[in-house]
Amino acid sequence: MPEYLTYVWRPVPGQRHAFPIAATKLDPEGTATAYCGAEVEATKLHDVDEIAWILEPTCMTCWQRLAGRSPGPSFSPN
């Protein structure tokens, strides 16, 4: 098991998705791709208010892929 983060959960509009940790380092103009394939503006991964963590449901496709049931996306920075 790795000793460092390989993914991060973020409550972006619509659902709470998991993203490769490298997505948090994208330029604000970039696009981040979640493990389920959802694409969001990189700026939406930052400055999330606490209410979003409560209200946004977890993406079960991201959850299942991280649980090892299917492969995740390949990641290449924009």
Side-chain angles (χ1 to χ4, degrees):
M1 186 153 112
E3 294 182 23
Y4 52 87
L5 289 176
T6 58
Y7 61 89
V8 62
W9 287 92
R10 288 292 187 264
V12 295
Q15 287 188 316
R16 184 175 30 253
H17 290 283
F19 296 88
I21 195 69
T24 63
K25 297 173 180 26
L26 288 172
D27 289 329
E29 298 83 28
T31 300
T33 303
Y35 278 84
C36 67
E39 293 189 3
V40 299
E41 298 169 10
T43 57
K44 299 210 185 287
L45 300 181
H46 305 287
D47 300 324
V48 178
D49 64 19
E50 291 182 30
I51 196 74
W53 284 100
I54 297 167
L55 296 178
E56 297 296 348
T58 298
C59 172
M60 293 313 293
T61 302
C62 285
W63 182 272
Q64 290 171 347
R65 289 191 174 159
L66 288 172
R69 297 183 183 146
S70 59
S74 58
F75 178 75
S76 57
N78 294 343

